[in-house]
């Protein structure tokens, strides 16, 4: 299957640069995966499409302020580091710019020396293993020195960094936000629960590879990077009960979807407590085992994310929906509008 099958024309001005003041005021397109029909609404109207016994599955990962700006200790040259994942202890896999200036043994200082990092290993694509040295608590220092790792297509400065977190974010470790969840407020979640809809939480720490362009012509040759996930005993039990009682499992975001499908694929369609790394790649032809519907944002052309959505709702249905979204001036990507596939 060719990657070009998932292309569409997207005017640059439709890429949302800032979040809306009210999270729930974003627009909502509802796509019926059975017949491809579309309904236009706003996100606070999501309750119309949920019913008692359903279960929303939310990814409670929290984005690290993972972008650090420092200086080489020997030359004073400016270096930017982006934390990707913790390898062990104080050693992190990072992306470094400019990478050619950072070799094994290079030391970089941040915040007048409050934080230091030494390169202890080389990775592909400009990656570096950096060992950090500091006094105190690493995450507290990171909160004071680091910037949010906003996607490169967002050019505007984010005034409130919590707007790039979901209101239920709690497990630190992501390099990017699970953006489908940005539309929820605590008030809306309470309203949904009061309807008899279950709320379940999983954790998947989003890596930047999720958004990496597909560089091969044939998507079956594309390799996904691995991301860490965790599902608790309580969540697994609830999801099994919902399935057995005939309720729908609706994942919030592609990250929740990939986690649930990874678990179900390993357990004959059932859910079980588990943690580990997943590199599952979902594209048309995949048979879903875990979810019945999904809430998601509008994604990049030719990305693995639009391929996943197309696997659930059908490629032609999704491209028709996307072309309609462009025509109707929906807002795209991280701070953009939402789609419910039911």
């Amino acid at each position: 299957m060719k990657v070009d099958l998932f292309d569409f024309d997207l005017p640059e001005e439709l890429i949302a640069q800032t979040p809306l003041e009210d999270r729930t005021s974003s627009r909502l397109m509802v796509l019926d995966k059975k017949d491809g029909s579309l309904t236009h609404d706003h996100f606070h109207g999501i309750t119309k499409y949920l019913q008692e016994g359903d279960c929303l599955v939310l990814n409670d990962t929290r984005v690290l302020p993972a972008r650090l700006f420092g200086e080489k200790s020997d030359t004073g040259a400016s270096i930017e580091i982006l934390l990707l994942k913790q390898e062990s202890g104080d050693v992190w896999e990072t992306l470094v710019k400019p990478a050619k200036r950072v070799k094994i043994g290079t030391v970089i200082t941040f915040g007048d020396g409050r934080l230091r990092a030494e390169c202890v290993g080389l990775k592909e694509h400009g990656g570096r293993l950096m060992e950090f040295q500091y006094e105190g608590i690493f995450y507290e220092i990171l909160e004071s020195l680091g910037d949010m790792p906003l996607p490169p297509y967002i050019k505007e400065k984010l005034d409130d960094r919590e707007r790039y977190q979901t209101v239920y974010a709690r497990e630190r470790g992501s390099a990017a936000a699970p953006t489908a969840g940005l539309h929820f407020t605590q008030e809306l979640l309470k309203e949904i629960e009061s309807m008899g809809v279950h709320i379940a939480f999983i954790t998947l720490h989003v890596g930047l590879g999720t958004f990496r362009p597909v560089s091969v012509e044939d998507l079956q040759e594309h390799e996904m990077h691995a991301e860490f996930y965790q599902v608790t005993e309580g969540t697994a039990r609830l999801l099994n009960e919902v399935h057995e009682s005939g309720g729908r499992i609706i994942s919030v975001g592609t990250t929740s979807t990939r986690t649930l499908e990874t678990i179900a694929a390993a357990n004959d369609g059932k859910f079980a407590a588990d943690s580990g790394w997943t590199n599952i790649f979902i594209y048309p032809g995949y048979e879903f085992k875990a979810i019945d519907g999904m809430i998601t944002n509008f994604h990049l052309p030719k990305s693995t994310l639009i391929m996943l959505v197309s696997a659930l709702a059908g490629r032609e249905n999704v491209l028709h929906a996307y072309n309609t979204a462009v025509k109707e001036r929906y807002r795209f990507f991280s701070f953009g509008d939402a789609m419910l596939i039911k």
Side-chain angles (χ1 to χ4, degrees):
M1 186 173 285
K2 299 299 182 184
V3 172
D4 286 343
L5 291 172
F6 301 90
D7 199 9
F8 64 94
D9 292 323
L10 177 65
E12 189 173 345
E13 66 267 20
L14 295 185
I15 300 174
Q17 293 296 313
T18 55
L20 298 177
E21 186 173 345
D22 174 10
R23 290 175 184 258
T24 68
S25 65
S26 56
R27 296 170 74 185
L28 175 68
M29 179 184 288
V30 182
L31 169 58
D32 189 321
K33 64 179 185 287
K34 297 184 184 68
D35 61 14
S37 61
L38 301 174
T39 305
H40 301 283
D41 209 324
H42 286 84
F43 199 81
H44 49 68
I46 191 78
T47 52
K48 296 181 222 171
Y49 311 98
L50 303 174
Q51 55 201 38
E52 185 177 357
D54 288 345
C55 183
L56 282 183
V57 183
L58 310 175
N59 182 2
D60 64 3
T61 188
R62 185 168 180 82
V63 186
L64 294 172
R67 180 165 275 122
L68 290 163
F69 298 91
E71 297 178 346
K72 286 183 66 177
S73 60
D74 53 354
T75 66
S78 297
I79 300 291
E80 177 184 340
I81 286 184
L82 180 65
L83 304 183
L84 295 181
K85 67 179 180 182
Q86 189 175 14
E87 288 283 329
S88 62
D90 290 317
V91 177
W92 286 73
E93 180 183 347
T94 70
L95 284 179
V96 174
K97 291 197 301 188
K100 62 184 179 182
R101 290 187 178 178
V102 178
K103 300 175 173 58
I104 291 178
T106 298
V107 174
I108 302 165
T109 61
F110 310 89
D112 296 326
R114 291 172 55 203
L115 185 65
R116 292 165 53 88
E118 179 180 351
C119 179
V120 296
L122 307 181
K123 305 282 281 188
E124 296 178 355
H125 310 300
R128 297 289 187 271
L129 291 178
M130 304 297 296
E131 183 170 13
F132 288 90
Q133 300 149 16
Y134 52 90
E135 290 186 7
I137 299 173
F138 178 73
Y139 288 111
E140 290 183 357
I141 296 171
L142 193 61
E143 287 288 343
S144 66
L145 295 180
D147 287 348
M148 275 297 176
L150 295 177
Y153 49 75
I154 293 179
K155 313 298 183 187
E156 298 287 330
K157 183 175 174 59
L158 184 63
D159 293 330
D160 178 7
R161 65 167 59 178
E162 283 302 306
R163 292 310 308 274
Y164 194 58
Q165 305 277 16
T166 62
V167 297
Y168 45 81
R170 58 190 177 202
E171 299 293 336
R172 291 182 298 206
S174 268
T179 54
L182 295 179
H183 306 281
F184 289 94
T185 61
Q186 293 291 3
E187 292 76 18
L188 180 57
L189 288 171
K190 288 176 184 174
E191 182 182 352
I192 289 169
E193 281 192 293
S194 72
M195 298 168 52
V197 176
H198 304 285
I199 304 288
F201 292 97
I202 58 91
T203 302
L204 182 134
H205 292 320
V206 188
L208 293 183
T210 296
F211 309 103
R212 182 162 52 91
V214 178
S215 58
V216 295
E217 288 186 14
D218 188 336
L219 63 87
Q220 286 147 313
E221 296 175 6
H222 177 72
E223 289 188 18
M224 295 286 286
H225 76 301
E227 295 168 314
F228 179 80
Y229 70 88
Q230 187 166 14
V231 176
T232 66
E233 187 72 49
T235 290
R237 184 168 54 250
L238 172 59
L239 293 174
N240 284 325
E241 289 171 356
V242 170
H243 250 177
E244 290 163 9
S245 63
R248 297 178 302 170
I249 292 178
I250 300 171
S251 59
V252 177
T254 56
T255 60
S256 296
T257 300
R258 294 175 66 242
T259 301
L260 296 178
E261 291 298 325
T262 296
I263 296 286
N267 293 279
D268 295 323
K270 300 288 187 181
F271 299 98
D274 195 13
S275 65
W277 296 83
T278 180
N279 64 348
I280 188 171
F281 181 19
I282 297 174
Y283 54 88
Y286 178 85
E287 293 186 11
F288 284 84
K289 305 162 186 67
I291 70 165
D292 303 291
M294 175 168 56
I295 296 169
T296 187
N297 280 15
F298 290 91
H299 304 296
L300 283 161
K302 299 197 287 189
S303 64
T304 60
L305 306 178
I306 194 173
M307 294 170 191
L308 186 156
V309 173
S310 297
L312 181 62
R315 186 184 70 88
E316 291 184 0
N317 288 342
V318 168
L319 289 180
H320 171 65
Y322 271 55
N323 288 324
T324 300
V326 170
K327 181 180 177 182
E328 297 294 331
R329 312 294 291 177
Y330 274 68
R331 303 166 81 241
F332 276 68
F333 306 161
S334 297
F335 290 139
D337 295 315
M339 172 187 282
L340 167 64
I341 299 172
K342 67 181 184 68

